[in-house]
Amino acid sequence: DVKVTQSSRYLVKRTGEKVFLECVQDMDHENMFWYRQDPGLGLRLIYFSYDVKMKEKGDIPEGYSVSREKKERFSLILESASTNQTSMYLCASSFYSGASYEQYFGPGTRLTVT
Amino acid sequence: AQSVTQPDIHITVSEGASLELRCNYSYGATPYLFWYVQSPGQGLQLLLKYFSGDTLVQGIKGFEAEFKRSQSSFNLRKPSVHWSDAAEYFCATSGTYKYIFGTGTRLKVLA
């Protein structure tokens, strides 16, 4: 079974703090993703990575950066956390099944910025 | 551009009743379509997927979905809902690397 793990389930940080969210997958998937999920807005893509050290902006990259130094690990960084970044953050990894890419998700990190 | 629409934000059904959740897509070619379920406080779990071939696809937990090109739809169905099916359901389509998700339908199940 594919396993995607996220370092924290719940996190509380103060405004202005630097925040690291870690994601690890154990299936040697090429692609990894960070989404944020807010009520009524569904899942919005922040950043994704299709290879080690490669990254591309998603739909809402402002205020975030990412790092992928190893294939299995993809980190989301909030350089200076703000209250509007309070959200559920979901990590995913994907592989090409021969027909399409299939994504698998971690359990999510609920971040509260006060 | 590809898009996915879930017209129902909330749906309430009684336990044992049948269920249909709607999903409409916008794409010129044959899309790759997925349904995910998210239980409270959890990540998303893949229920089923459609790539090509048989338009009725079976998934886990007793769910099925039917691809109808003429209606640009990929509706999720279950003949008899269980209380544990209460969750949020997302329809998605995929392009190169990226997925496009609908805004979700929250299912409430009445005892």
Side-chain angles (χ1 to χ4, degrees):
Chain A
D1 273 357
V2 176
K3 190 138 182 153
V4 181
T5 57
Q6 295 183 229
S7 51
S8 305
R9 295 297 305 275
Y10 300 93
L11 209 52
V12 180
K13 295 292 181 181
R14 292 194 181 275
T15 301
E17 278 193 81
K18 190 169 186 175
V19 181
F20 293 86
L21 303 183
E22 305 285 340
C23 175
V24 177
Q25 51 99 358
D26 67 355
M27 285 301 293
D28 203 37
H29 287 175
E30 299 292 332
N31 310 311
M32 296 187 75
F33 305 80
W34 276 106
Y35 297 88
R36 66 176 280 175
Q37 182 182 16
D38 300 287
L41 298 177
L43 277 75
R44 293 180 291 167
L45 182 64
I46 304 171
Y47 268 97
F48 70 100
S49 168
Y50 52 89
D51 201 352
V52 175
K53 297 191 186 294
M54 306 301 290
K55 60 186 179 185
E56 285 207 19
K57 293 179 180 179
D59 301 316
I60 51 163
E62 297 78 21
Y64 303 94
S65 62
V66 290
S67 171
R68 193 165 181 205
E69 297 297 319
K70 293 185 178 181
K71 191 174 186 179
E72 67 271 17
R73 188 180 298 270
F74 191 36
S75 302
L76 179 70
I77 302 154
L78 288 65
E79 294 289 343
S80 177
S82 64
T83 55
N84 63 12
Q85 292 179 309
T86 292
S87 186
M88 171 74 120
Y89 290 88
L90 293 167
C91 175
S93 69
S94 78
F95 74 103
Y96 187 69
S97 67
S100 179
Y101 289 91
E102 295 189 23
Q103 287 201 5
Y104 293 86
F105 285 81
T109 295
R110 185 163 295 283
L111 172 67
T112 302
V113 182
T114 61
Chain B
Q2 287 176 279
S3 67
V4 170
T5 303
Q6 293 179 250
D8 303 304
I9 299 173
H10 298 280
I11 288 220
T12 301
V13 298
S14 297
E15 191 169 19
S18 64
L19 172 70
E20 183 167 28
L21 302 182
R22 296 186 291 165
C23 172
N24 295 102
Y25 68 89
S26 172
Y27 188 58
T30 299
Y32 301 127
L33 294 163
F34 307 82
W35 274 101
Y36 285 83
V37 61
Q38 184 181 33
S39 297
Q42 303 297 315
L44 275 68
Q45 181 183 19
L46 180 65
L47 280 176
L48 48 79
K49 58 198 177 194
Y50 172 78
F51 297 151
S52 65
D54 194 347
T55 56
L56 186 64
V57 293
Q58 301 297 322
I60 62 171
K61 305 182 185 226
F63 285 93
E64 66 178 27
E66 187 170 12
F67 173 69
K68 292 186 177 180
R69 183 186 299 279
S70 61
Q71 298 177 19
S72 297
S73 69
F74 187 58
N75 294 349
L76 182 71
R77 302 194 296 242
K78 188 170 185 179
S80 178
V81 169
H82 187 263
W83 63 266
S84 60
D85 293 324
E88 190 156 21
Y89 292 80
F90 292 92
C91 182
T93 185
S94 82
T96 306
Y97 303 129
K98 297 196 295 183
Y99 275 31
I100 298 163
F101 287 88
T103 51
T105 298
R106 187 170 294 279
L107 174 65
K108 183 176 179 180
V109 180
L110 300 176

